[in-house]
Amino acid sequence: MLAERVKKIKPSPTLAIDSKAKAMKASGIDVISFGVGEPDFDTPEHIKEAAIKAMKDGFTKYTAVGGIDPLKDAIIEKLKQDNGLTFKREEILVSCGAKHSLYNIAQALYGPGDEVIIPAPYWVSYPDQVLLNDATPVFVKTFESDSFMVRPEALEAAVTKKTKALILNSPSNPTGMLYDRASLEKIAELAVKHNFYVISDEIYEKLVYDGAVHVSIASFNDEIKARSIVVNGLSKSHAMTGWRIGYAAGPSDILKAMTNIQSQSTSNPNSIAQKAAVAALTGPQDFVVMMHGEFDKRRKFLVGQLNTIPGMTCRMPAGAFYAFPNTAAIYGRKFGDRIIANSTDLALYLLEEAKVAVVHGAAFGDDKYLRLSYATSLEDLKRGVERIREALGNLKDGS
Ligand code: PMP
Ligand code: GLU
């Protein structure tokens, strides 16, 4: 008999779609994948070299559970330079990806009776990590007309005596929303007033466009910093998804608890990947700038094209690498006898008929949308968009 908690969760839908697309590709089908959010660029050479050197030097043993000091110091320096945040080593924990950092937070903070506020649309793992720790996710809807920023009054209305934390993600996966300073200041005021933690997932901070600026909520004052845990990682910024290095920074008592949890689960993150991460954070950053420029071009192309497809409208995302078109006008249309009633039907139809993998909005808590990752070549974006246009053109009126 499996434990009760297992019944409450589902596999990560983004990873599930990715494995389905990969299986179709392996069987010889020409699938274009806008599914999983992962940079298509290779990890920069100097980062790989650092890993090779680590192996050759025999840096292949256990390390300190929470990460080696040179990596903690590189993270401390990064948080200072980029985010205006000052941390000590005991306030940092390096984990096996930002997902693992978030999971350690969930284990350290959430328990039975606790409520964790999650603005929707949200990234797929937030609710399930809350559920795995026997706490309750409380969703606060956000609206396209507000650029998907949570309304402070809606946030405050969701706060109860049981509220333990709020999970913020700016720039956002899946919407591409980026909070401006004023909106974040209002959220910070509420966190201090009602005394709840803010888990600030900043993994897409390097990917903001049109001159916009990413601001970390923890940077406003000591009161909000004492209630914030900043999460970040190298997967997106340095095209290092497979290396599994993420980190959290926050109050030392919480970080100590998280480190204890990690010491009883995974132990240290991979020693070789830690050395690579030091090179990523302290070495040349021209790769980050290059990748940003490429994503920006793709963003403009994809969103521009999606807005020419009948039935779709798409906001220009301010950050991350996802387009999040509103596809509600398509629901109710038919392909033969098959009715496309919701985002799940539409994503399946596109995968089967157009051979294009996208993620259904329902996976992120809003059925009106689809998510398309544009972390893929311009060539594939062009081909994929034409396939989507054609497949949607084949749908007939449902009535
Ligand atoms: N947060 C968000 C919002 C994400 O999209 C992802 C997906 N990669 C992660 C965290 C986790 O990233 P990783 O575990 O690869 O560091
Ligand atoms: N964060 C990526 C995505 O949303 C990777 C998949 C995952 O970690 O679930 O597609």
Side-chain angles (χ1 to χ4, degrees):
M1 280 280 277
L2 295 174
E4 271 305 301
R5 74 178 72 86
V6 180
K7 297 182 191 153
K8 300 184 197 166
I9 62 153
K10 56 192 177 314
S12 163
T14 42
L15 295 181
I17 285 166
D18 193 46
S19 60
K20 192 163 181 179
K22 281 189 176 129
M24 284 172 76
K25 270 186 205 163
S27 71
I29 302 170
D30 170 30
V31 178
I32 298 176
S33 185
F34 299 157
V36 77
E38 142 165 278
D40 55 320
F41 296 95
D42 196 6
T43 305
E45 217 43 45
H46 72 278
I47 300 176
K48 290 185 186 171
E49 287 300 334
I52 292 166
K53 182 170 181 331
M55 272 188 275
K56 291 208 164 140
D57 290 351
F59 198 73
T60 53
K61 311 282 190 213
Y62 292 134
T63 74
V65 168
I68 55 175
D69 283 345
L71 180 52
K72 284 196 172 187
D73 291 347
I75 290 166
I76 288 168
E77 187 58 24
K78 178 253 168 266
L79 290 166
K80 193 165 162 194
Q81 294 301 329
D82 292 354
N83 311 110
L85 292 167
T86 309
F87 286 105
K88 302 191 194 73
R89 283 181 188 164
E90 61 269 28
E91 295 169 315
I92 307 285
L93 171 63
V94 186
S95 300
C96 312
K99 190 183 275 187
H100 185 213
S101 306
L102 289 160
Y103 192 76
N104 281 329
I105 294 171
Q107 283 247 295
L109 288 186
Y110 317 151
D114 289 336
E115 294 177 354
V116 179
I117 299 179
I118 304 175
Y122 46 76
W123 180 50
V124 292
S125 292
Y126 299 150
D128 291 45
Q129 291 194 350
V130 172
L131 290 168
L132 274 173
N133 289 285
D134 302 316
T136 307
V138 174
F139 301 109
V140 177
K141 193 170 165 51
T142 68
F143 300 92
E144 197 177 335
S145 51
D146 299 332
S147 306
F148 294 108
M149 282 189 266
V150 72
R151 292 181 184 164
E153 58 278 14
L155 177 58
E156 189 158 31
V159 174
T160 71
K161 286 198 174 61
K162 295 176 178 171
T163 304
K164 193 66 175 277
L166 160 73
I167 306 181
L168 271 191
N169 178 213
S170 176
S172 153
N173 174 5
T175 66
M177 168 276 290
L178 174 74
Y179 278 107
D180 57 65
R181 174 178 283 273
S183 304
L184 276 183
E185 277 171 354
K186 284 190 200 138
I187 295 171
E189 274 169 31
L190 290 176
V192 173
K193 178 175 161 193
H194 297 286
N195 197 23
F196 57 79
Y197 291 110
V198 177
I199 317 306
S200 183
D201 180 348
E202 306 184 4
I203 195 149
Y204 295 99
E205 70 158 332
K206 297 286 175 197
L207 296 171
V208 297
Y209 309 104
D210 300 326
V213 180
H214 162 87
V215 180
S216 176
I217 191 166
S219 67
F220 295 147
N221 55 55
D222 288 345
E223 285 180 299
I224 185 64
K225 185 168 177 249
R227 290 171 177 80
S228 300
I229 306 171
V230 174
V231 174
N232 211 324
L234 302 195
S235 285
K236 318 288 165 166
S237 58
H238 293 78
M240 289 177 70
T241 44
W243 298 74
R244 312 307 303 130
I245 296 289
Y247 56 89
S252 59
D253 56 335
I254 300 174
L255 269 290
K256 184 169 188 286
M258 289 165 58
T259 308
N260 290 346
I261 290 163
Q262 185 160 300
S263 81
Q264 298 291 12
S265 50
T266 61
S267 303
N268 59 277
N270 177 295
S271 61
I272 299 152
Q274 289 190 63
K275 285 281 191 181
V278 173
L281 289 172
T282 59
Q285 300 297 307
D286 42 341
F287 169 81
V288 181
V289 178
M290 178 282 289
M291 195 165 64
H292 175 275
E294 287 303 313
F295 284 152
D296 192 16
K297 274 188 232 159
R298 299 169 186 189
R299 174 183 74 116
K300 288 178 180 144
F301 171 78
L302 179 63
V303 175
Q305 287 297 309
L306 292 178
N307 278 310
T308 67
I309 297 179
M312 278 196 183
T313 55
C314 189
R315 276 178 63 253
M316 187 58 85
F321 43 54
Y322 306 102
F324 200 57
N326 187 325
T327 48
I330 297 166
Y331 305 158
R333 309 205 75 198
K334 277 181 158 175
F335 181 65
D337 285 344
R338 178 172 173 180
I339 298 182
I340 308 295
N342 50 40
S343 65
T344 309
D345 290 350
L346 183 56
L348 200 62
Y349 171 71
L350 290 176
L351 185 60
E352 287 172 2
E353 297 300 324
K355 309 286 184 278
V356 177
V358 302
V359 187
H360 47 301
F364 309 99
D366 201 327
D367 196 40
K368 290 203 296 294
Y369 301 87
L370 290 183
R371 189 194 80 174
L372 284 74
S373 162
Y374 53 83
T376 188
S377 71
L378 208 48
E379 187 54 37
D380 273 1
L381 286 174
K382 282 181 189 159
R383 292 198 305 137
V385 161
E386 286 323 308
R387 289 187 188 185
I388 294 173
R389 190 192 304 282
E390 197 187 322
L392 295 184
N394 291 337
L395 296 178
K396 301 278 176 277
D397 236 4
S399 51

